[in-house]
Amino acid sequence: MTTISTVDNALDSLGRIPAELERGTGPLDLKGVLYWGWHAVALLAHHRLRPARETFDHWFWDFLDAGEPAFDIERDALWEEKKRLSLIEMLDILSSEELSILKPEFFQGWQDRTTRCRTLRKGVTSVIGSSVGQAQRDRLMVLLAAYHRLLRLPSEVVSEAGILRDALPALFDLTEGLIDRDHDHSAPLLEAVAACRQALLTT
């Protein structure tokens, strides 16, 4: 049996992106970049937030539950994204405190949604050390929309690669911002992000 840590999984995903960028310049050529890029973001966000789980309000705890690491066919085959943070929910809580709410229904509860959202964002920013501003979030929304249309929704899609490639630095910025520089694993992760940036510049 092989144990794959969250960081090792994220590092592997980042390591696949340069080769994906060399595939070509069309929207379909960027499917792998979107897949592995958002995968790395999700892993690193959970890796940073889980140790601070009990510093957040109780309603948020279940979204950071790591679960059992052992592979279980029946449990894992039935897994649904709603049992963890979706990418849009993750982007929402990583956003700067004053930005508009992306998914209001996520913040339902006894508090009004704006207060609950801002309280959570403030806590997340305290843990991560940074937040996503408006300009970066706008570009990330482009990439998230493309991720959903090209990889998640089983339907025809009209898209262009230029707007996606132009937005990719925002995804690499987000990934880099989620890396904990106080830990030994930061160096290989930062090197992997740098390799992604270089590959984007040279393709």
Side-chain angles (χ1 to χ4, degrees), residues 133-197:
Q134 185 67 66
Q136 183 185 9
R137 194 171 81 168
D138 289 345
R139 294 192 293 272
L140 290 169
M141 288 292 284
V142 170
L143 297 175
L144 186 54
Y147 169 82
H148 287 153
R149 288 306 305 266
L150 291 171
L151 291 159
R152 301 296 302 277
L153 299 178
S155 60
E156 185 178 10
V157 58
V158 177
S159 182
E160 59 175 295
I163 188 174
L164 303 182
R165 291 182 67 89
D166 290 345
L168 282 175
L171 186 61
F172 300 151
D173 290 343
L174 176 59
T175 306
E176 189 171 307
L178 291 170
I179 297 171
D180 187 352
R181 287 165 170 75
D182 292 332
H183 285 267
D184 294 339
H185 62 243
S186 64
L189 286 169
L190 290 170
E191 290 172 3
V193 175
C196 294
R197 295 186 192 277

Side-chain angles (χ1 to χ4, degrees), residues 17 20-21 23-24 26-38 143 146-147 149-152 157 164 168:
I17 291 176
E20 293 291 342
L21 284 167
R23 288 173 54 91
L28 292 178
D29 297 312
L30 296 178
K31 283 170 59 177
V33 179
L34 293 169
Y35 182 84
W36 296 118
W38 281 113
L143 297 175
Y147 169 82
R149 288 306 305 266
L150 291 171
L151 291 159
R152 301 296 302 277
V157 58
L164 303 182
L168 282 175

Side-chain angles (χ1 to χ4, degrees), residues 39-198:
H39 185 244
V41 163
L43 288 167
L44 291 173
H46 278 280
H47 179 74
R48 291 296 304 277
L49 295 175
R50 276 174 182 155
R53 176 174 175 263
E54 295 187 9
T55 67
F56 299 109
D57 289 341
H58 281 75
W59 71 271
F60 188 60
W61 287 14
D62 286 347
F63 291 98
L64 298 178
D65 184 16
E68 293 295 327
F71 182 69
D72 183 284
I73 294 175
E74 183 174 352
R75 180 198 65 209
D76 297 336
L78 294 172
W79 183 87
E80 295 181 274
E81 189 177 59
K82 66 182 180 181
K83 297 178 181 178
R84 295 291 183 273
L85 286 172
S86 67
L87 290 173
I88 190 64
E89 291 163 353
M90 189 171 299
L91 181 55
D92 211 348
I93 67 172
L94 289 170
S95 296
S96 295
E97 187 178 339
E98 74 281 359
L99 296 187
S100 61
I101 300 175
L102 294 174
K103 189 177 179 182
E105 61 269 28
F106 180 65
F107 300 98
Q108 294 185 45
W110 65 270
Q111 293 175 305
D112 67 272
R113 292 174 179 177
T114 299
T115 299
R116 176 170 277 207
C117 173
R118 289 186 173 180
T119 299
L120 182 54
R121 285 179 177 176
K122 186 175 181 179
V124 169
T125 299
S126 177
V127 173
I128 302 297
S130 62
S131 61
V132 174
Q134 185 67 66
Q136 183 185 9
R137 194 171 81 168
D138 289 345
R139 294 192 293 272
L140 290 169
M141 288 292 284
V142 170
L143 297 175
L144 186 54
Y147 169 82
H148 287 153
R149 288 306 305 266
L150 291 171
L151 291 159
R152 301 296 302 277
L153 299 178
S155 60
E156 185 178 10
V157 58
V158 177
S159 182
E160 59 175 295
I163 188 174
L164 303 182
R165 291 182 67 89
D166 290 345
L168 282 175
L171 186 61
F172 300 151
D173 290 343
L174 176 59
T175 306
E176 189 171 307
L178 291 170
I179 297 171
D180 187 352
R181 287 165 170 75
D182 292 332
H183 285 267
D184 294 339
H185 62 243
S186 64
L189 286 169
L190 290 170
E191 290 172 3
V193 175
C196 294
R197 295 186 192 277
Q198 183 61 33

